[in-house]
Amino acid sequence: MISLGEPQEFHSCGQYVFSLHPSDHATLNPQDVHFKRTAKAGLSQPDHQGRWILKARKGEQEEEEEEELYYKHNTVVWSRGVFSSSWQIVKSFTVDTHVRQALWCSFTDSSRKPAILQPSSHSNSKTVPSTENDKNSLEGVCIIEENHISFYGNSGEEYCCALPFQVSHAWNMKFGLLFERHINNNKPGAKVDSLAAGENLPILFSIFHPLEEPAPVILLTPGASHTGYSRDTNQQVVFSCSDHSVVMMYSHTTGLHTVWKLRKTTQQETQGVTCQNTTMTFDPSSRSTISTFSSSLSRLALSSQSPSTGIWSPAGRSKLGSPGVTSRVHTPVSDIAAQSRSASSPSGLSSLYRLTPSPVRVSRTPLHSSAFTSVTNTSLIDNLSEWVDPLAPDICLEMVWTETNTYLGKQTTPADKVFLTVDVCKQNYLCYLLRSVSQLRCVRFEESNDRSQLIFGVAINIPARDAIAVKDMVVVLELNYNLILYSGATRVGRLHVSNMPSSRLSLPEFDSTILGDSSAIITSSRPASSLLAVQFEEQANLLSPVSSETNDLSRRDSSFLDLNFLTGSSIITGLRDGLGDRFTMEMMTGRMFRVTLPKFSSCPLVKLCVDAIRYILPRDKAMQSALKWYSVRNTLGGPGLQSEWQRFMLCLLGMMGYDTEQLAVPGMDTDGSISPVVAVKKVKHDSATGSDEDWNDLLRTEHHRLAHGHGVFDVGAPPVCAEQDRKAAVADTSAALFSYVPAVMYSLHLVYEELKLNTGLVHRGEELVQLLFQLASDLRLNAYRDHYWRDWPRLQMHTEQPSQILDDHLLKMQYPGYLRAEPPSIYQWLCYVLRHSTPPYPFPHVPDVCRTTKTITMLYACIISKEVSGKVREKYLQCLPVPGQRPAPPATAPSRQTTPSGGHTYNSAIFYMVESKFTQKDLEVLPFGVAMPIVQAIYYCRQQPSYTWPEAAYALIGRQDLHEQAHLGQQTTTTTMHGTQVAAPATGKPEEDDDGMANIENEALKLQFGDDLRVAEVRKLLQSSKPVKIVLVQRPEVSDHEFIEEQERHLLSVCQRTMALPVGHGMFTLFSSTPVVTETLPIQRLCLTGRAPPRNTTVDLTHIDVPPNMNAWPLFHNGAAAGLKVMPQSAGIESAWIVYNKPKSTDLTAEHAGFLMALGLNGHLSNLATKNIHDYLCKGHEMTSVGLLLGIAAAKQGSMDVATTKLLSIHLECLLPPTSTELDVPHIVQVAAIVGIGLVYQGTAHRHIAEVLLGEIGRPAGPEMENCTDRESYSLAAGLALGMVTFGKGSEMVGLSDLSITEHLYHYMVGGYKRPQMGPNKEKYKSPSYHIKEGDHVNVDVTAPGATLALGMMFFKTGNR
């Protein structure tokens, strides 16, 4: 008897939410404001409870969650939660009509979307996709109503589609949904004559997308010459499965069930079916066809006045007045057919034909239902030949199995419950419950070798009232209301439910309909004590395949009733909602309890061993061993004081034929009992005197045995105890696993090697090696014994006890061909591969068990050899074969789509880790020596990554920032209608709230500084595109005019801060973006206005005096900040793009001047053509000339470019010949030009340029009215230029020593008598200035700043003191 977990009362969360839902059908109970799990909350009648379905899902923390979809009347509630914990409402839907069915569905074939949803209008909605599984599948909830369906996707999609017929039931399939059309006047179980019903239309339809037209389904029976539509109204779908693509149907005519394989139709099948139905094309000359069609139209016209007339909108669910507007692409005739979906006659012609109206006669004038009220509209009938287009089928059902009639004349009904399950050996079973005959029929099936067909076996009958599938098991409710556990068709044992509520009922309260044929059991002649006694099943009957010829009556008479039968609340009447290892029991009182099946193991070592043994043994032996262990582990009474590993070791050795009572294995009780062990009380001795037993105990220790073997001590052995007097035991050769001991030992050895690769489980190898040492000793495998002893030298090994397996027994065992004489050692194998770059032998592994072994082996193969083909994989890895089973798939290698074409072999290792889902957590549990080559591969790829890897590869090497950068680069391109990639458009005019710093806080920066908020704070501080707030309170004595001036003065002080922000803005966004060459570069707005709350009135500087051109240079710096965002590596920055960014107006602006200077600092202004430079300078705009000259000079920095020198010399009188024409150059432009000269000749120590600049520092005022204003700026600029030319040269400048630059600069700094002018313009300054009189001494106020700066830059980092 197997003990179940603690039962917990179950109530539907949706049922409780529905009771509080504000709808017409919900009954609100104000007192019940909390979700109480009590008996009063449950309703007795299932019809009043509504319906719900459950499914399992993975939560955010990878925990097991359950989702519930509850529907009643016109309300659907979607909720989720953890079992026995709190639940939350995901969504709640309220529709206008009654909900027939609600289910989860998935549309995997997204290429079948209608043309209106396709990215290209030229795509065909009926094109067959190249792959069946699409990553962009639609998943969500589908609600079936009276006349339409509604789909609500998990990602927010919402579709509402009208149906041309009423749906009896909807079924999930691999590609979408399968609809079963409602048949009128077809009672359950009644046979219907299709001709009598007056229709010959299909009953099964399919859709691949919510907005797609339903397509009829065709059937293909064995031996049929051609396929045909599913027109048999006596067939009914009872089950469908999307995993194996099977559909089960029941025929009311034959009373038998059939299984059909669901697949897509071929082109030949589609053409064959459509050709068969072309004879139904409406011919105006045929009166019979016209009359049939006219009668159909008349029925449609009569149904147009039904409440369902109208088109539904997906958003508001309101009826639209225009019949031409619909949520799917319909034709007028199909619209009218859809309006007849609630009519009594299901004769909508659009179910089988897609009617396409003529564009000349119909498309301009939509056809209303009133146009079809009269059947005398002969002009419409004459044009029907142009409309008819048969619907092409998408799905074909191919019959693969039919059950045999074994009911012996009993009246059968469709299967009440159908489900697929697998046993512990992963064999597939199709089970269907027939309550009419109290049977559960189980049919085993498997795929063919080419995986194209399903092969079904013989059906096995199990007496049952109800059944439910759980994980690898089937729970059956027997006729005597006992719960029996099956694995496939193999009986495991009886289930015991503990702590069930017992509200005792008297015998007259039992319902005879519930008890069924149990009267014979109650009136049994057996004594009452036999009814109350708990009967445990014998071990021989524990694992018994159920025979197909089981007699129900004899089994019912021989069954018994336990104590729970006398308590009405403990009688189980039904089973439902099987998810994972949990299911729900329905009690006779209407209450429901959710219970959990016990697990196979909670110890990771036991789980690995069970999986390995289950793989290595034949299926019957694997089934027997697994279920035997499951029964032993979960037996009633608990494990006692023994650990799970001890119980497993006892169970396994017992199935191998060992006498566990006579076997002494360290860590295992010698009595071999699996019952709780009672500790033996030891006799207390006086601690002071001691006893002889203390000495004997010391001599019996393992330490003494090891020391005695090495001759350290020579002490007599202790007295032989009673344990050593036992007779030598002999193994039972008839045991189930006796012949497979070598195979079992080898598989457990591979598990032992697997444990070595996990530092968290390596300590469990000490427990496993004790069992392996015992098996290796009995099999006389000395190499394996030595291997285990070397790994655990201090482990206690019983080497002197006699073996229970004799030499004759070894001849009866089966030795597999893959058993090696030398034990495979993963450590030695990896060392050999690293030393010799080739494997010594393919390392064996058990699939799905030794996952780490397989992964590490293939990773070393990728590191050693770059190309890991099939032959190379066979050299490194060996999958253990199993006789009678399909061989396991070979080890996977990097796919062609992701394998790097070049680079180091480490790249292949990274890609294999990504494909095998090997993460950093898996790397952390590896031993240090094993992980070192893998860590080295990750470190190498981290330093030299590729820029075309997937996101998982970057996450593995710790470079998520590269993936984010690649992702941001992909976002700059968009897809056109024809699939071409173009650059994403950028707005030429920035938005009002655009601060020009949106690209700074990107995903890459968040990855680097995820918890740092300083970047966001800096962005707030540098905000200059929004008006500032002027928060002032008007005092009573201040007039309105004075208050406005006060506000403006406050704004003026704030504007000084705002005008300084562009400098910081340029530093913050330096080299942070790549412009789109087809658009202008947006320049952030510099706002010098304010807002006065609470009315947000605008405050500007119009009533007070402000300095002229106050915002000229701030605007210049604002444009420079925008230009500095451009990266120097940006491509496509040519002369045309620079001119394209000119202001649209004729006048140049200060912002564009700063933009030109910034492009020069980036190095892009060197691409500006000479013609464009001439055009800019001819405008005469001072700011533009300054920005252009400085930008060009910066782009040619240190190049001594002749063309740039000529351009700058035009604006400097000192570099022009004395006879040249005098030009009226603004002073600010001269300052910019002389700084530009310093940039062009930076670090060159050019003699002529240095001499000229040295003289310009002390240029006197004059002659006459010239050079009288702003002399300080010019002298400072000349000193700066001289410092750049001689930067860092010091006194080591070759060819400049005769100029005495240091003495001249010192003279300019400290003053003194003026020295005579030198150079070609010395005659010019003989005429004194009329405005400034300086005398004979140097004006140090003008010359000292520039000379000091030049001298400092000249001796920068020279060490000259």
Side-chain angles (χ1 to χ4, degrees), residues 69-89:
L69 197 62
Y70 176 90
Y71 59 98
K72 181 179 179 181
H73 299 314
N74 63 337
T75 302
V76 180
V77 180
W78 180 8
S79 59
R80 71 166 61 116
V82 182
F83 175 63
S84 72
S85 182
S86 60
W87 284 61
Q88 61 178 353
I89 307 301

Side-chain angles (χ1 to χ4, degrees), residues 441-452:
R441 308 202 75 186
C442 301
V443 185
R444 187 168 68 90
F445 69 94
E446 62 181 2
E447 294 181 343
S448 59
N449 292 332
D450 58 355
R451 302 182 183 272
S452 61

Side-chain angles (χ1 to χ4, degrees), residues 335-396:
D335 283 341
I336 298 174
Q339 294 178 4
S340 66
R341 53 194 172 267
S342 60
S344 60
S345 177
S347 59
L349 293 177
S350 65
S351 301
L352 184 60
Y353 289 87
R354 179 179 290 107
L355 306 181
T356 56
S358 172
V360 178
R361 303 179 180 179
V362 182
S363 62
R364 295 183 180 179
T365 305
L367 297 178
H368 298 270
S369 58
S370 60
F372 291 89
T373 55
S374 176
V375 298
T376 60
N377 194 347
T378 57
S379 61
L380 176 62
I381 299 177
D382 294 339
N383 297 328
L384 286 178
S385 58
E386 302 178 6
W387 288 21
V388 177
D389 181 17
L391 282 174
D394 296 326
I395 294 297
C396 176

Side-chain angles (χ1 to χ4, degrees), residues 967-982:
H967 181 67
L968 292 175
Q970 294 174 0
Q971 288 182 345
T972 58
T973 60
T974 57
T975 306
T976 61
M977 295 178 58
H978 302 284
T980 58
Q981 299 290 331
V982 298

